[in-house]
Amino acid sequence: MRSGHIARLAAVTGAALVTAACAPPGGVAGIGTAAPTPGAESAAGAPASSVTATMPQATPTSAPPPTAVDRPKADSPVQVPPPKVSEHTYVFPVKGCSVTYESRLLVLPKTTIWAGKGCSFVSPVNGVVDEVNTKNRWKPSTDRGADREGRFVTVIGDDGVRYLGGHLDKIALGVRPGLRVRAGQVLGQVGNSGNARSTASNLYFAISWKTSPSMWWVRRGMVKPWDYLDAWLKGNPTLSPREEMLAVMNQTGAAPRCFTLCASKPQPTPTKKPTKKRSEPSQEPVQIPLNGGT
């Protein structure tokens, strides 16, 4: 009897164990209760367990509106007077050709406008032709200052300023002293006459005031011209050199002395060969017989 009771108890206990092994794991919702992996331990030495959880999403909050910034008030606009403009209209002195020129002092207050041979030299302003030199008189052996610009034309503008265009190849037909010309009228053709004969063709351009032809050093340039050339070339046709010309003339005087490149090359004095004196025939007295005999 007792052995049969023990057999039935063992059978019931085994069935319970099998049922527990096949049942799903229990536990709190959201937290797994799976057995830890054999040998796995936590950092503290306790058996590791697998824990999963769903974190609640944070509710987005709207950003506060930006604080208004007090912008400083702008100052009142400065009243700038309009630029001074001349009553005269100017043009660039070379027409119909691409050009380059120096914008710095080259020994004298003038500039060299590099342009192709045959390009037109034109009057920069309305005025009257003053001097015309149609002959190329310059020689390297003498290097006379008055001849260095070769063929040239000067114009006394209606603004009272004298303009010189030198190193010309040709003078335009009909251009003569006293001729009335207008801005842009052709006066000659660019070349390399004068002391520019060994260089590329160019226009010697200078600004000064009217003097007698004997004061050639004034004619060759007294006012730096490049600021005015820049303005005339880049679309400001009213910038006038008159005020600067008057200021320079008041400083130097209307008839200043020459200080730069004034002397010509000294020329050797030719030596004369001594001439032989002709021998005069002797004037011996002639003996005339008194008695008339031979």
Side-chain angles (χ1 to χ4, degrees), residues 108 209 211 214-222 249 251-262:
L108 296 169
W209 53 86
T211 58
S214 61
M215 300 185 68
W216 48 267
W217 53 90
V218 176
R219 178 187 68 212
R220 66 184 178 175
M222 299 296 291
M249 185 173 65
Q251 182 179 3
T252 63
R257 294 175 56 189
C258 182
F259 293 101
T260 306
L261 298 178
C262 303

Side-chain angles (χ1 to χ4, degrees), residues 59-129:
T59 304
T61 58
S62 59
T67 306
V69 178
D70 294 333
R71 297 186 178 182
K73 295 182 179 180
D75 296 333
S76 300
V78 179
Q79 299 297 325
V80 178
K84 293 182 179 179
V85 295
S86 170
E87 59 181 330
H88 306 286
T89 301
Y90 300 85
V91 300
F92 195 82
V94 176
K95 183 170 70 174
C97 294
S98 59
V99 299
T100 58
Y101 55 91
E102 298 285 353
S103 296
R104 59 190 176 92
L105 186 64
L106 298 173
V107 184
L108 296 169
K110 58 89 178 179
T111 194
T112 301
I113 302 177
W114 301 98
K117 189 172 185 178
C119 293
S120 296
F121 162 55
V122 301
S123 178
V125 69
N126 295 346
V128 177
V129 175

Side-chain angles (χ1 to χ4, degrees), residues 33-40 47-50:
T33 58
T37 304
S49 62
S50 175

Side-chain angles (χ1 to χ4, degrees), residues 139-162:
K139 297 178 181 179
S141 59
T142 57
D143 192 29
R144 293 182 64 245
D147 300 336
R148 289 184 183 124
E149 283 72 60
R151 300 181 184 90
F152 66 83
V153 177
T154 65
V155 172
I156 306 298
D158 290 349
D159 56 0
V161 181
R162 176 167 60 180

